[in-house]
Amino acid sequence: MLIDSYDRVVDYIRVSVTERCNFRCQYCMPEKPFSWVPKENLLSFEELFEFMKIAIDEGVKKIRITGGEPLLREDLDKFIKMIYDYKPTVDLAMTTNAYLLKGTAQKLVDAGLKRINVSIDTLKPDIAQKIAGKDVLKNVLDGVNEALKVGLKVKVNMVPMKGMNENEILEVLEYCKERNMSIRFIEYMENTHAKVDISGLKSKELLEILGAKYKFTDEGFDGSSPSHYYLLEDGYKFGIIEPYEDDFCKKCNRIRLTAEGNLIPCLYFDEAMSIRDSIKKGDIQGAALILKEVIRTKPEKNRWGGEDGEVSTRAFYETGG
Ligand code: SAM
Ligand code: SF4
């Protein structure tokens, strides 16, 4: 079992299989063009799988594939199948923008994927274009329909931003509710890669908007999920992810692996250790030691909401959120 210095059990790893993306979401990526890590620097799926085996053997029970956009990486279904065949009981999920999901959803299910999280910030094509930098909405919604059709469980992530999609909070929730998909509103997390003038809605503001239409009760937290849950009268639950609040880190059970092999203990900080050389040399024991060291150095909490005005320099497209 992996336990950090604050007695938190770490049993969840998020694997970013590429930092590349077909979107340029304002809250995630720089506006101006920048150069990607060369493809040859990425670990192969076989190499990533070697590390997944180590993590699973050390007690990891949940693996989320993310990016950048994970569906940009060819043969993703083969990576999913490797993990599934090694341990079918691992809770295997993926976070995607859904743009390429229509043609791939069935293959992913056949490989062993059960659940996906999809980012839907708006149901208006022009706002989607503004947020993502291109006309994406039709493909995203087609992708979601396909995912539901092939039996994937779908959760939706929405990042509410002032002057952008703040007047669609109720609509996006209704869209999810009608399709039996849960929704989590994610407070915008400031970082140096995002567009500078974004102002995200905080949970208090979200609750005011939602409270104008619905009655709900505060359900608190559920296990290690960072979501603060609320229950509507009709039984539908929605979540809010509040990184600026203290509770966010208390039950944190996760670490992150980038496509290049950097193992990251916290979403906020730049600190990381590379498992790349160990994995490339086939040094399983060495990679396991690095995993334990990263767990040992996992910080107690992030600094969003800190008083010194410091902004995270960690890129979401690299860590996978
Ligand atoms: N491309 C996929 C997607 O968009 O779902 C997976 C990677 S993306 C980095 C993972 C999640 O991070 C998405 O739900 C996205 O909304 C969220 N995200 C990215 N930047 C964020 C930020 N600055 N604040 C809050 N959430 C952010
Ligand atoms: Fe791409 Fe996801 Fe970042 Fe948007 S949030 S730019 S879809 S990685």
Side-chain angles (χ1 to χ4, degrees):
M1 196 186 281
L2 298 164
I3 301 178
D4 77 1
S5 314
Y6 302 93
D7 276 340
R8 295 172 298 196
V9 174
V10 176
D11 58 4
Y12 176 14
I13 185 162
R14 297 174 68 104
V15 193
S16 169
V17 293
T18 176
E19 61 167 5
R20 291 173 194 238
C21 192
N22 41 2
F23 290 14
R24 292 287 179 277
C25 299
Q26 293 188 355
Y27 46 70
C28 177
M29 287 216 174
E31 268 178 295
K32 50 181 185 296
F34 59 106
S35 50
W36 302 112
V37 169
K39 278 196 177 150
E40 56 275 17
N41 286 19
L42 303 187
L43 290 179
S44 67
F45 280 144
E46 286 71 21
E47 289 164 339
L48 288 172
F49 175 56
E50 280 309 308
F51 189 72
M52 292 303 102
K53 286 197 285 186
I54 297 170
I56 292 169
D57 292 348
E58 292 290 344
V60 162
K61 295 191 170 64
K62 177 171 173 181
I63 297 175
R64 176 173 298 277
I65 295 164
T66 175
E69 177 43 43
L71 293 177
L72 286 182
R73 191 137 172 200
E74 239 174 275
D75 293 336
L76 187 66
D77 57 309
K78 296 198 177 120
F79 180 50
I80 290 170
K81 188 158 166 42
M82 286 178 204
I83 300 171
Y84 181 79
D85 286 347
Y86 186 68
K87 193 139 187 183
T89 54
V90 164
D91 181 5
L92 200 48
M94 177 176 74
T95 301
T96 172
N97 62 31
Y99 190 84
L100 297 170
L101 203 51
K102 193 169 173 192
T104 50
Q106 185 65 58
K107 255 199 327 195
L108 301 173
V109 170
D110 294 344
L113 191 71
K114 305 276 183 312
R115 306 189 296 111
I116 57 169
N117 287 18
V118 175
S119 305
I120 302 181
D121 296 315
T122 173
L123 295 169
K124 295 182 181 156
D126 55 326
I127 302 291
Q129 174 142 19
K130 252 192 194 164
I131 295 173
K134 73 177 194 195
D135 183 13
V136 295
L137 190 66
K138 184 179 180 310
N139 276 37
V140 169
L141 299 184
D142 285 353
V144 169
N145 287 340
E146 184 68 14
L148 292 171
K149 204 165 99 189
V150 301
L152 280 168
K153 216 170 154 214
V154 183
K155 266 190 198 167
V156 168
N157 293 332
M158 174 180 187
V159 180
M161 292 169 279
K162 291 185 182 158
M164 185 63 72
N165 58 354
E166 66 186 313
N167 54 5
E168 288 189 76
I169 286 156
L170 300 172
E171 280 84 350
V172 179
L173 182 137
E174 280 299 325
Y175 165 86
C176 295
K177 199 144 98 67
E178 280 160 16
R179 288 163 183 78
N180 208 15
M181 309 188 292
S182 58
I183 183 164
R184 288 152 359 133
F185 300 101
I186 309 180
E187 286 183 352
Y188 165 61
M189 294 173 237
E190 266 186 69
N191 66 92
T192 54
H193 307 270
K195 197 165 178 281
V196 284
D197 59 356
I198 295 176
S199 171
L201 271 79
K202 293 283 185 294
S203 68
K204 194 167 164 281
E205 296 165 299
L206 284 162
L207 290 173
E208 265 167 34
I209 295 172
L210 290 156
K213 173 157 182 184
Y214 304 107
K215 282 209 171 89
F216 47 79
T217 49
D218 185 339
E219 293 284 291
F221 292 83
D222 186 8
S224 300
S225 165
S227 279
H228 190 157
Y229 286 105
Y230 297 86
L231 185 67
L232 301 191
E233 285 181 314
D234 63 6
Y236 182 76
K237 243 189 202 181
F238 68 88
I240 302 183
I241 298 188
E242 309 159 313
Y244 292 80
E245 298 293 324
D246 255 6
D247 285 344
F248 184 71
C249 304
K250 273 188 191 140
K251 290 193 191 158
C252 185
N253 64 340
R254 60 202 66 190
I255 51 171
R256 294 165 167 86
L257 180 67
T258 71
E260 286 179 281
N262 292 319
L263 201 54
I264 299 170
C266 175
L267 182 60
Y268 184 96
F269 296 97
D270 268 343
E271 278 73 13
M273 285 180 81
S274 177
I275 49 108
R276 183 186 177 80
D277 291 347
S278 309
I279 288 294
K280 288 226 174 255
K281 281 190 292 200
D283 177 7
I284 302 303
Q285 244 183 341
L289 283 175
I290 294 170
L291 169 62
K292 286 178 186 154
E293 183 58 13
V294 166
I295 304 283
R296 193 187 65 75
T297 58
K298 193 169 158 56
E300 185 179 15
K301 51 184 172 183
N302 74 56
R303 285 207 200 124
W304 279 296
E307 275 154 29
D308 53 8
E310 183 193 359
V311 175
S312 172
T313 49
R314 187 46 97 194
F316 275 74
Y317 59 86
E318 218 177 30
T319 59

